[in-house]
Amino acid sequence: MIQTLCYYLSEHPLIVGFRWKHSQSWGNTWVFLFTSIAAYVIFSVFLHLFLLLLFRHRRPLPLGPIPAVHSLSMALISFTIFAGILLSAAAEIRDTRWFWRRYKTTPFQWLLCFPLGTRPSGRVFFWSYIFYLSRFLHTFRTFFTVIRRRKLSFFQLFNHSILIFMSFLWLEFSQSFQVLAIILTTSIYSVVYGYRFWTAVGLPSKCFHFVNHCQIVLLGCNVVCHVGVLLLHFLKGGCNGIGAWVLNSVLNGAILFLFLNFYVKLHLEKRKIGVTKGPETVDSVKDKDN
């Protein structure tokens, strides 16, 4: 069983022979990237305005089991990507260890800093491609929020759009740090979407703003790893895709700023409600991180 899983997650010919090429991979052109992001933003705004005009009240619209099914699917997809890229990274380390010894490079350094000239092919880039495609499924949460609550936040649109854009840059420029970034992101998302499925089916939630806390952990780990990439770039003579990494860092910084701003406002709102109306009313904002 374990050998079969390892084969299908890291040794299958489709995974080993993967190439990021316009003729072989779906959705890998700049036109597709910007068109899909624009379509996502336009459709989200249109849906939001249409529902506001159609329903004057702001009472939640039922979606049935759809959010729960989506959360369960995303949890399973995230865990599969996590297991796949972890096994694939281990296989790449095993197969190229001789090369790293020659240039005095450790596996951890490779996770942060690809050697110059790295091409987007092989095991880890296959799972990077699957991660890129999964970002489009992630955007469905925006539509759920709009339909159920008639709310559309700039942070949500910006965050989802930038995640798609950054995932594309990872593949297009063979950017350093992407393996570790995907491992961190999918591990956190497996837990986050598992928690969302848990609450969506009506099971009790005891952790207040659990999703927000997980996102803070993820953003904090990204900041630490970005510092490591910068140090290795100057100490090791350069990391592959450093130009895309710089843009990635700027966009991550913008996401971090917007998220911290949102988190502070949410915390202040919780304190204000708790002071003015008592602890029983705090539960009314408990599900904002879902």
Side-chain angles (χ1 to χ4, degrees):
M1 177 72 72
I2 295 178
Q3 291 179 348
T4 301
L5 288 175
C6 290
Y7 172 78
Y8 282 106
L9 291 176
S10 63
E11 301 296 341
H12 194 279
L14 290 177
I15 298 177
V16 177
F18 173 78
R19 298 289 186 277
W20 172 257
K21 292 184 179 179
H22 293 175
S23 59
Q24 296 183 8
S25 306
W26 180 81
N28 63 353
T29 64
W30 289 98
V31 174
F32 175 87
L33 174 68
F34 289 116
T35 301
S36 59
I37 292 177
Y40 159 66
V41 174
I42 293 172
F43 181 76
S44 299
V45 174
F46 170 78
L47 182 63
H48 176 63
L49 296 177
F50 176 76
L51 290 177
L52 286 179
L53 292 175
L54 188 62
F55 300 98
R56 297 294 182 178
H57 60 81
R58 286 182 173 266
R59 287 176 294 180
L61 294 177
L63 287 174
I66 295 178
V69 172
H70 177 265
S71 296
L72 179 60
S73 300
M74 289 301 300
L76 295 176
I77 291 172
S78 298
F79 182 77
T80 301
I81 297 174
F82 169 78
I85 198 166
L86 196 64
L87 292 172
S88 296
E92 292 291 339
I93 292 172
R94 179 198 65 209
D95 294 344
T96 57
R97 188 174 298 170
W98 62 271
F99 177 80
W100 295 346
R101 288 176 179 174
R102 180 180 177 183
Y103 290 94
K104 298 181 180 180
T105 301
T106 65
F108 183 73
Q109 291 174 347
W110 175 76
L111 291 174
L112 287 174
C113 179
F114 284 156
L116 296 175
T118 300
R119 301 299 181 187
S121 61
R123 299 179 180 92
V124 296
F125 288 100
F126 170 84
W127 289 110
S128 181
Y129 175 61
I130 300 300
F131 179 82
Y132 163 64
L133 296 180
S134 71
R135 296 306 87 201
F136 293 98
L137 297 177
H138 184 62
T139 60
F140 278 76
R141 286 200 57 82
T142 302
F143 308 141
F144 298 157
T145 302
V146 171
I147 294 173
R148 288 194 299 183
R149 304 175 186 172
R150 247 84 72 235
K151 290 183 179 181
L152 181 63
S153 66
F154 170 77
F155 171 75
Q156 195 171 37
L157 288 177
F158 180 80
N159 185 41
H160 289 172
S161 300
I162 291 305
L163 285 175
I164 295 173
F165 183 71
M166 289 192 302
S167 301
F168 181 89
L169 292 181
W170 292 351
L171 288 158
E172 186 69 13
F173 297 100
S174 303
Q175 183 190 309
S176 298
F177 169 60
Q178 63 178 282
V179 175
L180 196 55
I182 294 173
I183 290 174
L184 292 172
T185 303
T186 52
S187 62
I188 294 293
Y189 274 32
S190 298
V191 176
V192 166
Y193 277 105
Y195 170 79
R196 284 170 172 164
F197 172 74
W198 177 275
T199 56
V201 297
L203 296 173
S205 57
K206 298 181 179 180
C207 298
F208 189 63
H209 296 316
F210 173 79
V211 174
N212 288 336
H213 294 156
C214 288
Q215 290 172 334
I216 289 177
V217 171
L218 178 60
L219 291 171
C221 291
N222 281 337
V223 170
V224 173
C225 291
H226 275 285
V227 174
V229 173
L230 187 62
L231 292 175
L232 287 174
H233 176 69
F234 290 107
L235 294 176
K236 292 292 183 179
C239 297
N240 200 70
I242 196 64
W245 174 85
V246 171
L247 179 58
N248 194 340
S249 300
V250 173
L251 295 175
N252 271 323
I255 291 175
L256 179 61
F257 172 78
L258 291 173
F259 181 79
L260 290 178
N261 183 56
F262 164 78
Y263 186 79
V264 169
K265 288 182 178 179
L266 194 64
H267 182 70
L268 292 177
E269 180 182 353
K270 182 191 71 172
R271 290 186 59 185
K272 182 179 179 181
I273 293 176
V275 171
T276 58
K277 295 186 178 181
E280 69 278 359
T281 318
V282 177
D283 293 334
S284 63
V285 297
K286 186 174 183 179
D287 293 330
K288 285 194 174 183
D289 61 336
N290 291 334

